[in-house]
Amino acid sequence: FAIRNVPDRRKAIQQIADRLRPGGRLAVLELCQPSFLPARLFVKYAVPMIGALMSGGAMREYAHLEKSVLDFDAKAFESVVTGAGLELVEVTSINFGTVTLYVGKKPAAA
């Protein structure tokens, strides 16, 4: 749940891909902007307030969480995975789109 906070995602995924064996897989689970409107509103408004209440007032940190989730470009991340030479074998949206699982596979050696 942190790739959205990595400044150079392309470099990070490329370094991981370089270390995978042929046929090896990379799985990334990431928070995403929900496609379902009530879930999107919940992430935007409720998550920062609930998080701040439960953490003793860390409103700023939960505001960052909400902003980083809304700013994460899921389609661009798919391009990062394929740009690293991996086959994108699975993209699964979970929980009304609030979480997405990306699975890339390094092609088998020729």
Side-chain angles (χ1 to χ4, degrees):
F1 288 116
I3 197 70
R4 72 184 181 287
N5 294 315
V6 173
D8 193 343
R9 292 182 200 123
R10 188 168 309 279
K11 182 177 179 181
I13 296 300
Q14 185 65 62
Q15 288 185 3
I16 294 168
D18 290 347
R19 286 156 181 80
L20 287 175
R21 294 180 181 159
R25 292 176 181 245
L26 162 72
V28 176
L29 193 62
E30 188 54 82
L31 297 170
C32 295
Q33 182 172 351
S35 53
F36 185 57
L37 181 60
R40 191 167 47 237
L41 293 172
F42 182 80
V43 168
K44 183 167 180 60
Y45 297 106
V47 167
M49 287 190 325
I50 293 169
L53 287 172
M54 293 181 71
S55 66
M59 185 71 158
R60 183 172 161 198
E61 288 81 358
Y62 282 91
H64 167 74
L65 173 65
E66 177 259 332
K67 181 178 180 343
S68 70
V69 168
L70 296 178
D71 288 348
F72 182 70
D73 187 338
K75 286 295 178 192
F77 184 68
E78 291 178 22
S79 296
V80 168
V81 172
T82 57
L86 302 174
E87 298 173 37
L88 194 59
V89 295
E90 182 180 347
V91 177
T92 303
S93 181
I94 305 164
N95 199 25
F96 301 109
T98 57
V99 176
T100 302
L101 173 64
Y102 302 89
V103 179
K105 181 179 176 184
K106 189 166 188 171

